[in-house]
Amino acid sequence: MRIKIINPNTTQSFTDALQRLADAVARPGTEILAVSPASGPSAIESFYDEALAVPGVLDEIAKGDREQDIDAYVLACFGDPGLYAARELTDKPVLGIAEAAFHLAAMASACFSVVTTAPRVRFMTEHLVSRYGFGEQCKKVRTTPIQVLDLARSPEAAIAKVIAECLRAREEDKAEAIVLGCAGMSQYRAQIEQEIGIPVIDGTVAAVKLCEAMVDMKLGTSKVLTFNWPRPELANPGRGLRIA
């Protein structure tokens, strides 16, 4: 089984960390390929950043089906940029880390809070909670005074702020689990969980393990209607984007 993790931003240190994390949790026989697109934003902290990232994500999906014999895909950005469009390009499973994390958090706890990065992304995250149908289980979306790239530049200071916000979520929201709202936090999940004493769900690990289950079940993306292939003039059905 080959699972391709697409980091939609171009910060290679994040991609390398995702590779190490996924290699550690994948079962024997699962091969992980973590990549960044050739071009795009260095971090994703706005709707504009998301829009810039989507073409690179779609290129990587197309390449995975065309050249790399990929069985499933993970979009490793908490905004799940281009998720639905990516599902139109392949009949393989494509999972976003926010959607995967919400599902597992709802199964692991009665309620959860999301702890993410800068205040600007609050609405974006609340929109995802609503779109995916977790408004009742999610107690609150909490932001922190850090930028995404702080997790690469000064991780100790950044994670200390994440832990402080997680503790406030536990006490003030009565959250019974925490969803980490940024792929840059993924490698620190165990440390954060040890500090706060309640389950902490990282969407990257959640998505990798769900991909393994879906491939085992031979459960791919339905092509009957909504996620049917793009129009023929835009793509070769089953072969990804038409790239000149």
Side-chain angles (χ1 to χ4, degrees):
M1 181 188 311
R2 301 192 82 200
I3 297 175
K4 185 174 187 178
I5 298 178
I6 303 169
N7 170 19
N9 70 51
T10 57
T11 300
Q12 188 62 41
S13 61
F14 286 154
T15 306
D16 294 342
L18 292 169
Q19 179 76 57
R20 292 191 296 269
L21 176 67
D23 283 342
V25 301
R27 68 190 189 202
T30 297
E31 180 184 355
I32 302 294
L33 175 63
V35 302
S36 291
S39 62
S42 60
I44 298 176
E45 298 178 309
S46 68
F47 288 110
Y48 183 75
D49 292 339
E50 281 195 353
L52 291 179
V54 170
V57 168
L58 299 183
D59 282 348
E60 290 296 338
I61 296 287
K63 187 188 302 182
D65 271 14
R66 188 178 62 245
E67 303 171 7
Q68 298 168 327
D69 194 28
I70 301 298
D71 296 296
Y73 299 89
V74 173
L75 303 189
C77 169
F78 203 77
D80 293 352
L83 176 60
Y84 290 169
R87 286 176 176 164
E88 294 181 4
L89 281 182
T90 182
D91 56 3
K92 312 293 177 52
V94 184
L95 301 186
I97 65 171
E99 187 177 27
F102 294 155
H103 278 284
L104 288 195
M107 289 188 281
S109 66
C111 58
F112 61 88
S113 287
V114 180
V115 175
T116 185
T117 53
R120 182 172 183 174
V121 305
R122 181 191 302 275
F123 174 79
M124 299 170 67
T125 307
E126 290 173 343
H127 176 71
L128 284 178
V129 169
S130 176
R131 186 174 81 182
Y132 293 145
F134 289 94
E136 292 188 7
Q137 291 98 330
C138 182
K139 302 291 287 184
K140 191 170 184 178
V141 172
R142 288 179 167 268
T143 61
T144 53
I146 64 173
Q147 304 297 315
V148 170
L149 291 178
D150 291 339
L151 293 159
R153 291 187 292 241
S154 52
E156 289 186 10
I159 291 302
K161 294 173 183 177
V162 171
I163 289 170
E165 200 62 40
C166 289
L167 289 169
R168 282 190 282 270
R170 187 188 69 182
E171 299 305 316
E172 297 173 12
D173 308 343
K174 306 304 179 186
E176 298 178 19
I178 298 294
V179 168
L180 298 178
C182 177
M185 301 174 184
S186 294
Q187 61 185 309
Y188 305 103
R189 187 210 67 80
Q191 175 189 347
I192 296 167
E193 184 172 271
Q194 183 176 9
E195 291 284 344
I196 70 172
I198 59 175
V200 174
I201 293 89
D202 159 55
T204 302
V205 171
V208 167
K209 302 309 287 185
L210 288 171
C211 278
E212 288 181 328
M214 291 182 72
V215 173
D216 284 349
M217 297 169 65
K218 297 180 171 55
L219 183 60
T221 298
S222 171
K223 293 296 176 185
V224 68
L225 183 61
T226 303
F227 296 134
N228 203 347
W229 304 104
R231 297 193 308 275
E233 65 268 26
L234 299 179
N236 291 322
R239 297 282 292 176
L241 291 173
R242 185 187 298 278
I243 308 245

